[in-house]
Amino acid sequence: MLSSNSELKLKLNPTLCGSSSLQVSEEVRAHLKTPLFDNWQWEESEMLLLLQVMFTDLDILTAFHIQLQVLQNFLFQVYCHYNHIPFHNFHHCFCVTQMMYSLIWITDLRNKLNKMDQLIMLTSALCHDLDHPGYNNVYQINAQTDLARRYNDISPLENHHCAVAFRILSKHFLTSPFCSRCILATDMARHNEILNKFRAIQATFDFNDKDHKEVLMKIMVKVSDISNEARPIEVAELWLDCLLEEFFNQSDMEKVNGLPVTPFMDRDKVSKPSSQTGFISFLLLPLFTELTKLFPCLEVRPAISQFIPN
């Protein structure tokens, strides 16, 4: 938690987030750089401070001459644009960004990619689910929602997240078209397409190749987005409960509205173990396996295997 010499509790106000008022211990800073970090021990106000630490410790503010208050205002606006829903909320935003931050340190990407690339990845992780309504793309399309019509049934949620992100960025921070590419890559309908592109360049991967870097950055955001099961079991299982709650809410709504019921969200058919078997085997493990080929320093956390029934 906050270091012992920090008596003031952070308020949900960006003007009170300054490092002059609060300090984060070196122990917390070190733990923040690992996938072992436990988000459940922290209040949302403290998460805002820790997000600030991530940007400052990667020297992003110095590199781009960004004033601390500008960053604080930006982070607070991001917080305000996440909804109070079971899974795709500000806590999820924080966890995805923290995982991205830890992977940047573990794989030494801070020395392999330039500061703009690091800024894009961190910002993409932070903004990737802005204003998520709690119902996925399949629901949006089947229910013919305003979002689905607006984006012609093409990644409606991810396009919406990008639109909200650019609205915030244009007022408070910076803009980069690359952020949109990374956020759009989190649409699971594009999972195999992006993973296969990454597989195809593994043998000749070059950090100086712009196209190679773009695919890697997309993979990094995707890994961070679905990495809960790679965390310690006591952290991961609580996230699974949140995810299933959101899934079940959607299937309940689908039944009420006479829409096709998404099978893996049906509370009458899905259990915690069954929900994880296919996800881990066919989505998470292949993604981690490919990333580990490029970065042997990574290894899949034991927590993953504990979700798969014998």
Side-chain angles (χ1 to χ4, degrees):
M1 303 295 286
L2 299 180
S3 60
S4 57
N5 64 343
S6 299
E7 299 178 356
L8 179 64
K9 270 290 184 180
L10 188 66
K11 305 290 186 181
L12 286 180
N13 183 324
T15 61
L16 299 179
C17 298
S19 57
S20 61
S21 302
L22 291 161
Q23 299 293 323
V24 175
S25 70
E26 290 303 315
E27 180 182 4
V28 169
R29 287 177 185 268
H31 197 49
L32 195 62
K33 297 173 183 175
T34 77
L36 302 177
F37 194 85
D38 183 357
N39 67 283
W40 301 112
Q41 298 181 18
W42 299 82
E43 298 175 4
E44 291 178 341
S45 55
E46 295 169 323
M47 290 180 191
L48 281 172
L49 174 63
L50 294 175
L51 288 170
Q52 178 180 308
V53 168
M54 296 179 204
F55 280 84
T56 55
D57 280 9
L58 285 176
D59 296 324
I60 287 175
L61 272 66
T62 301
F64 297 101
H65 308 289
I66 299 170
Q67 294 182 356
L68 181 61
Q69 187 171 356
V70 171
L71 174 64
Q72 293 167 353
N73 289 334
F74 167 64
L75 293 176
F76 186 66
Q77 286 302 311
V78 167
Y79 165 80
C80 291
H81 283 81
Y82 273 92
N83 297 319
H84 296 289
I85 54 180
F87 184 86
H88 292 97
N89 50 38
F90 178 70
H91 289 252
H92 171 66
C93 152
F94 173 82
C95 283
V96 175
T97 309
Q98 187 273 322
M99 180 62 75
M100 173 65 76
Y101 177 72
S102 68
L103 289 174
I104 289 173
W105 283 94
I106 293 170
T107 60
D108 198 30
L109 283 180
R110 61 196 182 92
N111 291 317
K112 296 175 181 175
L113 297 179
N114 61 42
K115 290 298 178 187
M116 178 58 76
D117 294 334
Q118 295 171 45
L119 174 59
I120 289 169
M121 290 193 298
L122 211 60
T123 304
S124 297
L126 193 68
C127 297
H128 82 287
D129 272 332
L130 282 167
D131 196 35
H132 196 295
Y135 303 100
N136 71 3
N137 281 333
V138 173
Y139 179 90
Q140 305 297 323
I141 293 168
N142 288 340
Q144 299 179 5
T145 65
D146 289 341
L147 279 182
R149 288 195 293 266
R150 182 181 306 161
Y151 296 108
N152 199 27
D153 293 349
I154 300 173
S155 302
L157 287 181
E158 289 73 24
N159 275 296
H160 179 59
H161 304 325
C162 288
V164 177
F166 278 114
R167 191 158 63 241
I168 297 173
L169 287 165
S170 64
K171 292 181 180 179
H172 298 280
F173 210 47
L174 55 90
T175 58
S176 170
F178 212 157
C179 284
S180 64
R181 298 178 198 176
C182 290
I183 293 174
L184 290 172
T186 62
D187 183 354
M188 291 308 294
R190 299 186 60 203
H191 178 81
N192 289 332
E193 168 204 339
I194 296 169
L195 181 57
N196 288 334
K197 284 183 179 179
F198 188 54
R199 284 186 175 128
I201 62 176
Q202 282 280 7
T204 59
F205 190 89
D206 182 359
F207 281 99
N208 295 315
D209 186 304
K210 181 180 178 181
D211 293 335
H212 287 196
K213 285 201 307 178
E214 178 177 337
V215 177
L216 173 61
M217 292 164 73
K218 291 177 179 178
I219 288 290
M220 294 293 287
V221 175
K222 286 177 60 60
V223 165
S224 300
D225 187 23
I226 63 172
S227 62
N228 283 331
E229 285 79 0
R231 294 182 183 274
I233 188 69
E234 62 273 13
V235 177
E237 189 165 11
L238 290 175
W239 273 116
L240 177 55
D241 291 338
C242 295
L243 182 62
L244 289 178
E245 181 182 352
E246 193 168 297
F247 279 1
F248 293 158
N249 288 343
Q250 175 170 321
S251 66
D252 291 346
M253 187 64 71
E254 289 169 335
K255 293 174 184 178
V256 168
N257 293 326
L259 299 173
V261 178
T262 307
F264 63 85
M265 295 185 177
D266 192 338
R267 69 169 69 247
D268 297 323
K269 299 179 180 179
V270 175
S271 65
K272 288 176 71 170
S274 67
S275 72
Q276 293 299 281
T277 303
F279 170 74
I280 292 173
S281 300
F282 298 109
L283 295 175
L284 186 59
L285 279 176
L287 202 54
F288 269 95
T289 298
E290 292 304 317
L291 192 60
T292 303
K293 291 178 183 178
L294 186 61
F295 301 112
C297 56
L298 297 176
E299 62 180 28
V300 179
R301 296 294 308 164
I304 290 178
S305 61
Q306 298 182 50
F307 279 93
I308 302 178
N310 295 325

